Amino acid sequence: MASLDRVKVLVLGDSGVGKSSLVHLLCQNQVLGNPSWTVGCSVDVRVHDYKEGTPEEKTFYIELWDVGGSVGSASSVKSTRAVFYNSVNGIILVHDLTNKKSSQNLYRWSLEALNKDSSPTGVIVSNGDYDREQFAENAVPLLLIGTKFDQIPDNKRNDVLTRTAFLSEDFNAEEINLDCTNPRYLAAGTSNAVKLSRFFDKVIEKRYTRDASQIAGFTDRKRFNFKSLHYD
């Protein structure tokens, strides 16, 4: 396959929230039959058409780095994870909509990845105790994805969606809520698909140039040859 320009996107969140299932769905457009725990980091690639349907359309590779581990890991484990945080162009924050703690821990994951974690033993929570200014001028685009949407009881759905709205505001990021076992949540033309495409476009623009019209003529760019990747 021909060489294409690429960007690197981290996929972060607690163990068990469905990151591997999400990455498989995004890259293969298929449900992951038997998901397993990710040890270290697993990398898959999605082909994305930047500014699809416009004169500026251009194809890129989106590297999705599914980072394993838990937010409460020992410092040695966190130091090992730091290797995966180099040269990041975007971050997808993943949480389980049925697990409030996984939502709260996204603050820790994001701060760790952006090298702003000054108090590694604490957990920052929202609704007054979190300084959203930390991300107001963040140069790395963020996207918030909530999984297991189908498992939320009807009588709790409004409360959960209100909580995710706070998260979205805190991170200055769009939010997508879905079920990783149902590809229809990301079907072409849906609002989720539009948000996802908009996020990848933003990541590409931040990586290569502030002026999207210059992307086609930008010459000093890294090249990436497509192949299956996995890091343990």
Side-chain angles (χ1 to χ4, degrees), residues 7-11 62-66 87-92 141 199-200 203:
V7 293
K8 175 181 177 180
V9 175
L10 293 178
V11 181
I62 309 292
E63 291 181 12
L64 294 173
W65 291 55
D66 172 11
S87 304
V88 172
N89 306 124
I91 299 176
I92 296 177
F199 168 71
F200 288 143
V203 169

Side-chain angles (χ1 to χ4, degrees), residues 37-73:
W37 299 106
T38 299
V39 178
C41 181
S42 179
V43 183
D44 207 343
V45 178
R46 173 187 173 96
V47 178
H48 174 71
D49 290 325
Y50 169 81
K51 295 291 185 181
E52 185 176 11
T54 71
E56 293 83 21
E57 181 174 340
K58 190 177 188 297
T59 303
F60 287 81
Y61 286 143
I62 309 292
E63 291 181 12
L64 294 173
W65 291 55
D66 172 11
V67 179
S70 62
V71 75
S73 298

Side-chain angles (χ1 to χ4, degrees), residues 182-206:
N182 189 343
R184 289 182 296 177
Y185 279 92
L186 292 174
T190 63
S191 61
N192 285 343
V194 172
K195 290 177 182 178
L196 187 65
S197 180
R198 190 157 53 211
F199 168 71
F200 288 143
D201 280 359
K202 185 176 181 180
V203 169
I204 291 168
E205 290 174 4
K206 289 280 188 178

Side-chain angles (χ1 to χ4, degrees), residues 15-53:
S15 297
V17 298
K19 298 189 302 295
S20 296
S21 296
L22 173 65
V23 170
H24 189 80
L25 182 61
L26 291 176
C27 296
Q28 310 300 330
N29 196 30
Q30 294 178 345
V31 174
L32 182 60
N34 296 300
S36 58
W37 299 106
T38 299
V39 178
C41 181
S42 179
V43 183
D44 207 343
V45 178
R46 173 187 173 96
V47 178
H48 174 71
D49 290 325
Y50 169 81
K51 295 291 185 181
E52 185 176 11

Side-chain angles (χ1 to χ4, degrees), residues 24 54 68 77 82 88 114 117 120 131 147 161 189 202 223:
H24 189 80
T54 71
V77 177
V88 172
L114 296 170
D117 190 353
D131 181 11
T147 62
L161 294 181
K202 185 176 181 180
R223 291 283 179 174

Side-chain angles (χ1 to χ4, degrees), residues 6 14 20 23 43 63 65 90 126 140 152-153 159 169 187 192 198 216 230 232:
R6 54 87 174 181
D14 286 0
S20 296
V23 170
V43 183
E63 291 181 12
W65 291 55
S126 187
V140 179
I152 304 174
D159 291 339
E169 186 175 356
N192 285 343
R198 190 157 53 211
H230 184 84
D232 292 324

